[in-house]
Amino acid sequence: MAGMMPATTTQGRIMLKSMHVAEYMSRRLVTFSPDMSVSEAIRVLLENQISGGPVVDETGRVVGVFSESDCLKGALEASYHGTEIGSVKEYMSVDLQTVEGSDSILDVAEIFLADHRRRLPVLDNGKLIGQISRRDLLRAMDDFGQRHTP
């Protein structure tokens, strides 16, 4: 773990541990509806230049995450079976892992590495308040390096 941080000292780990998700997460989210067609979701991904995002139901509850990989699965399956591409709910990842805004950047980095995630929904008392991505963590680590490098 120490090799990925700008500083490898105990003090450096403590400082990264004190940096929180809420400081670096994206608050302006592009979300998907479970009933949205994969074709429409592809357009949303392309128009917003993103690789995925949370899927929320009509009550605003996070029910999954939808990504470029899910689009590819849908397109391949439809092509193979000679059918129309289905809806987001058919291909989204429902193995939900979320974090809280108060979680440390260091803890989230460990989740990303252990579980090969690219993004995680950020919740506050069960309500979606943002999303943290690998790129957001890199920004946090760069900020840390800028502040703590002589």
Side-chain angles (χ1 to χ4, degrees):
M1 195 68 201
M4 65 176 259
M5 296 181 294
T8 57
T9 65
T10 301
Q11 182 182 10
R13 285 190 291 280
I14 291 169
M15 291 299 295
L16 274 177
K17 188 107 175 130
S18 71
M19 299 172 80
H20 297 104
V21 167
E23 299 171 57
Y24 291 95
M25 70 183 188
S26 299
R27 294 178 188 275
R28 293 184 2 209
L29 292 179
V30 174
T31 60
F32 300 90
S33 156
D35 296 321
M36 178 184 283
S37 74
V38 171
S39 297
E40 184 180 352
I42 289 170
R43 280 191 298 278
V44 170
L45 290 172
L46 293 171
E47 287 171 4
N48 291 282
Q49 299 179 355
I50 58 174
S51 63
V55 181
V56 296
D57 67 12
E58 60 280 347
T59 67
R61 186 174 61 96
V62 179
V63 294
V65 175
F66 191 74
S67 70
E68 292 168 327
S69 294
D70 299 321
C71 294
L72 294 175
K73 282 187 247 174
L76 287 174
E77 189 174 300
S79 178
Y80 179 77
H81 295 294
T83 60
E84 293 285 320
I85 288 184
S87 63
V88 165
K89 68 182 164 201
E90 295 173 57
Y91 301 101
M92 69 184 184
S93 300
V94 294
D95 177 23
L96 272 184
Q97 187 166 20
T98 62
V99 295
E100 297 281 324
S102 59
D103 290 344
S104 82
I105 292 296
L106 192 60
D107 291 340
V108 174
E110 290 174 350
I111 292 169
F112 280 147
L113 288 175
D115 298 338
H116 306 290
R117 306 274 180 180
R118 291 180 182 242
R119 71 196 58 79
L120 290 168
V122 181
L123 305 181
D124 183 27
N125 294 319
K127 182 178 183 224
L128 180 65
I129 60 167
Q131 176 175 271
I132 188 91
S133 69
R134 289 179 181 181
R135 182 159 296 154
D136 297 327
L137 291 189
L138 293 177
R139 262 190 318 108
M141 290 176 188
D142 184 55
D143 283 357
F144 174 82
Q146 297 290 330
R147 285 187 262 162
H148 298 91
T149 302

